[in-house]
Amino acid sequence: MLARLRFPNERSRGRRYWQAPHPYRGDYQRDRDRIIHSRAFRRLEHKTQVFTVPDSDHFRNRLTHTIEVSQIARTVAKALGLNEELVEALALSHDIGHPPFGHAGEEALDTEMRKHGRRFDHNLHALRIVEHFEHRYPAFEGLNLTFEVREGIVKHSRDYRPAEFPELSEYLLDERPPLEAQLIDLADEITYNCADLDDAVEAGLLDAARVRKEVELFDRFLSQAEAEFPDASAALQFNEALRALLSAFVSGLIEGTLDAVEHGRVTSMDAVRAHPERLARLQPRPAEASRQLRALLSREVYNSPPLAAERRHSGAKLIELFHLFMERPAQLPAAYGRQAQDVPLHQVVCDYLAGMTDKFLLRRHQELIP
Ligand code: MG
């Protein structure tokens, strides 16, 4: 449908270090494979998405979340005729810069870095991972990903102003990213909204009656499920409604993006880049449902007493470790200690903590601050 706006493999700006083409894998397929084989990707399994694992074996973690995002983003890319291989590489890398303990970890690192006049941003941290921290090749540092995958990692969820981020100047900050990168943030939002709703019901923080009062579209789908399957259990009726909601979001993203492209008379990949705003979007009705769902999750789930307590608790542990390494850098692993000769200590400590899994951070905390 939007094949004319598809980012063509042959237009790639290529890799930082030249490498011979592979006999049967395209460049974005190779990037996907490099991401899947990276240590940062494997660590996603032990990083919190929203719910911490001890309560149930069924909650999403950041790895299963990433797989869901990839599946949804590829479905949308395929329906629109976009570059599915580029989309997959971007989806699989979209959270690799995430610190332990979800948003609590992100906030705690940002709070500490601000005291040193810096910020913590998981997109920029992901770029540092793929550019510097993964050591897999004798010929270069990092994964040597294509320009478009690095650009998508930087820009998937926001635009950066060139004046504020001169270090990112090579990433065409005045231009929009290709549609493939624009999709990722919305696929992410669709995925976590539906998954968090599912996990919140599993955790007993929400029930279908509450959701239908706040999210009109969900109410409609639940009524349909009740009419079609009157004898099914409430859990299966809920699941039917959730599936229909997810499907409405995905269709809403496909249709909304088509509408925006048509309305903006965008006819080429270069016009996508030059367009004043991003073109990937949900149609108004699913967008409204998404807002209603987000507001409900924020009030009843993310800020619920058990999750808020958990966040305070894990954020405090991360901050205690930050302070400890700032005061006693000798406790850092040798490789990080060496880096501190060239890079400010707070940056080294931040990089070390951001790379940790939840359980590794808890273990270090127990060892060092008994
Ligand atoms: Mg995500």
Side-chain angles (χ1 to χ4, degrees):
M1 288 195 272
L2 294 183
R4 66 189 187 281
L5 308 184
R6 168 195 171 95
F7 192 92
N9 284 17
E10 61 277 13
R11 285 276 303 266
S12 175
R13 293 177 182 235
R15 305 182 186 282
R16 215 178 265 301
Y17 307 96
W18 186 85
Q19 288 186 279
H22 189 274
Y24 49 85
R25 286 183 305 157
D27 278 337
Y28 302 131
Q29 275 180 291
R30 279 176 103 179
D31 283 1
R32 171 203 61 197
D33 299 349
R34 288 171 190 206
I35 291 155
I36 287 179
H37 290 284
S38 70
R39 288 166 48 134
F41 184 78
R42 290 198 294 280
R43 286 200 298 260
L44 293 173
E45 185 182 358
H46 301 290
K47 293 194 180 197
T48 294
Q49 178 63 18
V50 170
F51 296 89
T52 37
V53 172
D55 305 328
S56 161
D57 284 341
H58 302 144
F59 293 143
R60 276 80 175 173
N61 59 49
R62 219 160 265 283
L63 179 62
T64 59
H65 160 73
T66 295
I67 294 168
E68 291 181 2
V69 172
S70 171
Q71 168 252 320
I72 286 171
R74 284 176 53 199
T75 298
V76 175
K78 186 166 186 176
L80 290 175
L82 298 175
N83 190 326
E84 223 180 306
E85 292 169 359
L86 176 55
V87 162
E88 189 179 20
L90 290 172
L92 292 175
S93 59
H94 91 280
D95 263 353
I96 58 166
H98 235 290
F101 297 118
H103 289 288
E106 208 173 5
E107 265 171 45
L109 281 176
D110 194 47
T111 304
E112 289 308 306
M113 289 302 275
R114 278 165 184 263
K115 294 178 187 165
H116 300 278
R118 304 284 302 181
R119 300 290 309 266
F120 178 77
D121 175 319
H122 77 90
N123 295 333
L124 303 188
H125 186 68
L127 185 66
R128 290 160 65 74
I129 290 173
V130 301
E131 286 274 78
H132 305 293
F133 300 157
E134 288 287 333
H135 295 287
R136 303 188 54 83
Y137 301 92
F140 45 77
E141 237 182 12
L143 300 178
N144 196 26
L145 301 179
T146 55
F147 176 87
E148 291 71 32
V149 172
R150 284 179 283 127
E151 183 198 12
I153 287 174
V154 171
K155 293 188 190 169
H156 82 81
S157 56
R158 57 166 286 199
D159 293 311
Y160 291 84
R161 284 187 296 117
E164 209 184 331
F165 294 90
E167 72 275 24
L168 298 178
S169 58
E170 69 178 295
Y171 293 109
L172 314 172
L173 295 186
D174 292 325
E175 298 180 9
R176 307 290 79 71
L179 275 179
E180 284 82 356
Q182 295 187 25
L183 288 182
I184 303 299
D185 199 37
L186 293 156
D188 187 28
E189 182 181 316
I190 291 171
T191 306
Y192 66 67
N193 268 338
C194 292
D196 292 350
L197 176 56
D198 194 22
D199 285 351
V201 169
E202 161 102 5
L205 291 171
L206 272 180
D207 59 29
R210 189 66 217 264
V211 183
R212 81 189 315 171
K213 249 191 249 158
E214 311 265 343
V215 185
E216 288 161 50
L217 201 55
F218 178 85
D219 179 45
R220 207 181 81 197
F221 292 139
L222 188 57
S223 300
Q224 279 169 9
E226 287 164 344
E228 197 178 347
F229 303 105
D231 301 325
S233 67
L236 285 180
Q237 288 172 344
F238 169 81
N239 208 48
E240 278 297 296
L242 183 61
R243 284 187 331 109
L245 187 66
L246 175 59
S247 186
F249 285 144
V250 171
S251 306
L253 174 53
I254 294 167
E255 299 294 333
T257 304
L258 283 171
D259 292 348
V261 165
E262 192 180 339
H263 188 76
R265 298 176 204 279
V266 177
T267 53
S268 69
M269 215 277 299
D270 294 316
V272 171
R273 280 200 173 281
H275 203 69
E277 56 201 10
R278 292 178 179 228
L279 292 157
R281 64 188 64 169
L282 268 69
Q283 282 181 311
R285 201 157 172 221
E288 176 58 19
S290 182
R291 271 191 297 275
Q292 289 169 345
L293 182 52
R294 235 181 133 151
L296 174 71
L297 288 168
S298 162
R299 207 172 53 243
E300 305 286 327
V301 180
Y302 308 142
N303 291 309
S304 64
L307 263 68
E310 177 73 44
R311 257 205 315 277
R312 274 195 304 278
H313 197 64
S314 40
K317 285 192 166 158
L318 193 149
I319 287 175
E320 283 168 24
L321 276 178
F322 197 106
H323 292 171
L324 179 128
F325 291 124
M326 288 301 293
E327 282 156 26
R328 289 154 47 192
Q331 300 278 3
L332 286 166
Y336 286 90
R338 279 194 298 279
Q339 272 177 42
Q341 291 163 2
D342 309 318
V343 180
L345 181 60
H346 53 266
Q347 187 64 59
V348 175
V349 171
C350 179
D351 289 340
Y352 181 45
L353 291 169
M356 289 183 180
T357 61
D358 295 12
K359 64 176 188 179
F360 185 75
L361 187 145
L362 292 176
R363 207 159 68 223
R364 286 297 271 160
H365 190 274
Q366 207 169 31
E367 284 162 16
L368 295 168
I369 311 176

